[in-house]
Amino acid sequence: MRFISWNVNGIRAVLGKDFMDVFDHFDADIFALQETKCQAGQVELDLPGYHQFWSYAERKGYSGTAIFCREEPERVLHGLGIPHLDREGRIVAAEFDRFWFVDCYTPNAQAELARIDHRMEWDDAFREFCVGLEAGMLPDGSRTPGKPVVMCGDLNVAHHDIDLKNPGPNRGNAGFSDQERGKLDELLEAGFVDTFRYVHPDLAEVYTWWSYQRRARRTNAGWRIDYFLVSESLAPRIAGASIYGEVYGSDHCPIGLELEL
């Protein structure tokens, strides 16, 4: 199966920048978006053969996630089940026959870590959510057969020095603070695998996000903050993990995962 994830930084904007060509080119079984920045009814996509599921933020033009999948899910969740964390449309989770698929847009800690407490609460809740799905526990407390998890999205954190161009000056800043990196450690320690590093443990200068300032993309002064993670039981089934830096249209580029399922 082929999975694609892309923070589009506004679906309405990227639709004018060859989004459909990119979508068709990847021919993914599941295509996940983050930062769609739209409300219900503002975008109508004609995607024959795909089911569409969108989560919207209460605030207009902000956040939002979506997944487009060939197989119809058994169930779809649009949040973590915690009302004050679910106002920004940051989760779409779909249950399929053999796995859960979770699309996530993690909150930014913001300048001077102004939103770090909210971010820490989110990271803990997200980890418990994914561990729960794997164990067969839904947010409402009901039980379902446990299944491995495939999760993706903009997690808004570079994990190690290799994952950003300038680690020294950015240490302690949003996206590379000890707090955020520690929460990603906890997520991996809970039983998940960073698929890109599983396949490419030492590959450097490969990033998924570049600031629009100072020609960062032209000089490749980027960050790897977009991920596919899978349950450890799926690690032997990883057939490929890719970053498509040649694809423009957003300040992020798409990433891909191939699993033998």
Side-chain angles (χ1 to χ4, degrees), residues 15 19-20 23-24 43-50 52 54 68:
L15 279 172
F19 172 80
M20 290 308 307
F23 182 86
D24 292 340
V43 173
E44 296 290 340
L45 291 183
D46 182 20
L47 303 175
Y50 286 86
Q52 302 184 34
W54 300 71
F68 313 132

Side-chain angles (χ1 to χ4, degrees), residues 15 23 30 45 57 61 69 84 87 97-98 130 135 157 159 167 188 194 196 202 209 211 214 224 244 249 257 261:
L15 279 172
F23 182 86
I30 301 179
L45 291 183
C69 49
H84 71 278
R87 294 175 182 150
D97 180 53
R98 291 168 291 177
C130 293
V157 59
H159 195 198
L188 298 176
D194 176 350
F196 186 79
D202 302 311
W209 173 79
S211 170
R214 300 175 184 174
R224 188 177 75 95
Y244 300 101
L257 171 67
L261 293 174

Side-chain angles (χ1 to χ4, degrees), residues 47-212:
L47 303 175
Y50 286 86
H51 304 276
Q52 302 184 34
F53 302 95
W54 300 71
S55 288
Y56 306 104
E58 294 178 2
R59 175 180 164 188
K60 292 182 178 180
Y62 182 72
S63 189
T65 48
I67 65 170
F68 313 132
C69 49
R70 286 198 169 106
E71 180 183 342
E72 185 172 5
E74 297 176 8
R75 88 179 79 215
V76 177
L77 306 176
H78 292 278
L80 302 175
I82 303 173
H84 71 278
L85 295 180
D86 290 335
R87 294 175 182 150
E88 297 178 345
R90 294 183 178 274
I91 292 286
V92 182
E95 182 183 9
F96 298 95
D97 180 53
R98 291 168 291 177
F99 61 93
W100 276 94
F101 183 85
V102 180
D103 178 21
C104 173
Y105 177 39
T106 301
N108 191 305
Q110 298 185 350
E112 299 182 359
L113 304 183
R115 210 183 187 197
I116 192 66
D117 290 343
H118 177 82
R119 170 62 184 266
M120 296 294 96
E121 183 182 9
W122 169 274
D123 282 342
D124 287 339
F126 179 69
R127 183 181 65 254
E128 292 175 9
F129 175 79
C130 293
V131 168
L133 295 182
E134 187 177 46
M137 178 67 72
L138 298 178
D140 63 6
S142 61
R143 302 289 304 190
T144 186
K147 297 177 182 178
V149 174
V150 178
M151 70 182 84
C152 72
D154 176 1
L155 301 188
N156 257 318
V157 59
H159 195 198
H160 296 299
D161 286 7
I162 194 175
D163 295 314
L164 71 166
K165 183 72 170 184
N166 298 303
N170 283 295
R171 185 161 282 108
N173 291 340
F176 201 55
S177 68
D178 290 344
Q179 299 97 310
E180 294 162 295
R181 297 167 67 199
K183 291 299 182 186
L184 183 51
D185 285 336
E186 291 181 36
L187 181 57
L188 298 176
E189 290 164 2
F192 300 101
V193 173
D194 176 350
T195 62
F196 186 79
R197 285 293 168 228
Y198 184 88
V199 177
H200 309 285
D202 302 311
L203 185 58
E205 298 187 356
V206 181
Y207 310 119
T208 67
W209 173 79
W210 302 261
S211 170
Y212 280 131

